[in-house]
Amino acid sequence: MSDTDGIVTNRRSAKATLYVGHRPARRLEALKVVALSICCLFVIGPFVMVISTSLADSGQISRGGGLVLWPENPSLIAYRVIFTGGQVTRALGVSAFVTIMGTLISLTVTSLLAYALSRRGMLFNRVILMGVLVTMFFSAGMIPTYLAVKQFGLLNSLWSLIVPVCASAFNVIVMRAFFQNLPAELTEAALVDGAGELRIFWSIVLPLSKPILAAIGLFYAVAYWNEFFTALLYLQDSSRWPIQLVLRQYLIDNAQVAVDNDIVKEIPPPQPALQMAILVVSLIPIACVYPFLQKHFTKGMLTGAVKG
C-alpha cells in the first residue's frame, strides 16, 4: 500500500468516526427539540383554550365541557358585553390608574432611596441600609398594616393600593448595586463643576440607568396590575375594585356577568365565554408592555445584581 492510499484510508476512517460521533449528538438535539415543543404546547395550550372559549357559542362550550380548543363560529359578542361601560370597564380604568401612578411613585421613591444609599459618606448610610434589609425578612403583618392604613385615612381609597407598597426592599438593593457600578469619575467630575446631588442624579445617573429602571418598572407594574388581596382588604366599595378583584369575583365566586339587553340585541353570550373574555382582557396590557421592555430586562437585572 502506498502512502497516498494510507492517507486516503485514514481520512475516510476519520470521517466515519466523526459521523458516528455526531449521530448521538443529533439524536440528543432532536430529543431536546421534541421535549421543548411539548413544554411549549403545555404552556400555550391553556392560553389558546381561554381565547377560543371567549369566542365560542353556548352550544360548543356545552359540548366541550366548559372549554373549547378551537371555536367553530367565532364571535366577539362577549367582548362587546364587557366593554359596554359596566363594572369591567370601570375596573380596567381603576387598574390602569393604580398601575401607572403606582409605578411612577415606586420608581421615584426606589431610585431616590437607592441613589442615597449608594453614595459613600451619606449620614446614617449603614443604619438605613440595615433597616431596608430587615424589611426583606420581617413583615409587620396583616392586622398592624390594616390598622396603619386605617389610621392614615386610606381605607376605601385607591391610594391604599399604592402607598403601603410603594417601595420594595429587593428592588432598592438591586438598584443600589446598579448605581454603585456606574463610573465614579462621572459624578466626581460633576461635583468639581459645581453640580449638586439632585443635579447629578437627574442629569447623569438617570440617563445611564434606563435598563435597571425598565426592569424595576416592569416588576412594579406587574405587581400593581395583578394585586387583588390588598384591594379585598381595603376597598369596600365595589365601584373602586381593580380588574383582578372583579376577575376573582367572576371566576372564583362564580358571579354572573350582567348583560345589558338594550345594547346587546342578539342572543347573549354564555357565562363561560364572558368569564374567559374578562381573563383575556386582564392579560393583554402586561403582555403588550413586556416586549418593549424585554431588551432592557436581562441587562438591567444582571448589571444590578453583580458587584464589581
Side-chain angles (χ1 to χ4, degrees):
M1 181 182 297
S2 63
D3 294 338
T4 304
D5 294 337
I7 293 173
V8 172
T9 304
N10 292 335
R11 287 181 177 177
R12 290 177 178 175
S13 300
K15 289 182 179 180
T17 304
L18 186 62
Y19 176 76
V20 173
H22 276 305
R23 289 177 60 187
R26 291 177 179 176
R27 292 177 181 176
L28 182 60
E29 291 296 329
L31 290 175
K32 290 181 180 179
V33 171
V34 173
L36 290 176
S37 301
I38 294 175
C39 292
C40 290
L41 288 177
F42 277 110
V43 173
I44 298 175
F47 290 101
V48 174
M49 294 181 68
V50 167
I51 297 175
S52 299
T53 305
S54 68
L55 301 174
D57 54 26
S58 58
Q60 189 177 5
I61 293 176
S62 299
R63 294 193 303 269
L67 291 174
V68 175
L69 184 59
W70 190 261
E72 297 175 354
N73 300 307
S75 173
L76 296 176
I77 185 174
Y79 294 93
R80 289 177 53 193
V81 169
I82 64 176
F83 282 118
T84 53
Q87 188 178 19
V88 175
T89 306
R90 186 169 55 249
L92 285 172
V94 170
S95 292
F97 172 80
V98 171
T99 301
I100 295 173
M101 290 300 300
T103 302
L104 292 177
I105 293 174
S106 295
L107 280 178
T108 302
V109 173
T110 301
S111 58
L112 288 173
L113 180 56
Y115 176 72
L117 293 176
S118 67
R119 301 296 290 167
R120 296 178 180 178
M122 191 196 76
L123 191 62
F124 303 121
N125 190 317
R126 292 288 181 182
V127 176
I128 298 176
L129 180 59
M130 290 302 299
V132 173
L133 290 174
V134 166
T135 62
M136 293 181 61
F137 305 102
F138 302 98
S139 174
M142 184 189 305
I143 296 178
T145 304
Y146 180 87
L147 294 177
V149 172
K150 181 179 180 181
Q151 188 68 27
F152 282 102
L154 297 177
L155 284 182
N156 210 31
S157 169
L158 296 183
W159 294 107
S160 64
L161 309 181
I162 300 174
V163 175
V165 293
C166 65
S168 167
F170 174 79
N171 293 335
V172 170
I173 299 302
V174 172
M175 192 171 290
R176 171 180 175 269
F178 185 93
F179 290 159
Q180 287 179 330
N181 286 334
L182 294 177
E185 292 80 6
L186 295 176
T187 57
E188 292 173 358
L191 288 173
V192 172
D193 291 339
E197 293 292 348
L198 287 179
R199 179 72 174 181
I200 294 173
F201 174 74
W202 181 259
S203 300
I204 298 177
V205 175
L206 285 185
L208 296 174
S209 304
K210 292 179 181 179
I212 194 66
L213 290 175
I216 300 300
L218 182 62
F219 279 168
Y220 279 125
V222 172
Y224 281 118
W225 183 265
N226 290 332
E227 185 58 55
F228 76 93
F229 187 67
T230 53
L232 186 64
L233 288 178
Y234 304 140
L235 301 180
Q236 287 79 36
D237 187 359
S238 60
S239 63
R240 301 183 180 183
W241 283 0
I243 185 62
Q244 303 300 337
L245 192 55
V246 173
L247 178 64
R248 177 184 181 276
Q249 179 188 21
Y250 290 134
L251 290 183
I252 306 300
D253 299 337
N254 289 323
Q256 298 293 309
V257 182
V259 178
D260 192 344
N261 294 325
D262 294 334
I263 298 177
V264 181
K265 303 298 183 180
E266 58 264 39
I267 300 176
Q271 288 296 319
L274 291 170
Q275 293 172 349
M276 295 301 105
I278 298 174
L279 180 57
V280 171
V281 169
S282 68
L283 293 174
I284 287 177
I286 296 299
C288 292
V289 171
Y290 183 80
F292 297 98
L293 301 178
Q294 184 180 10
K295 62 180 181 179
H296 299 298
F297 185 78
T298 303
K299 181 181 177 182
M301 292 310 300
L302 292 180
T303 309
V306 178
K307 175 65 177 175

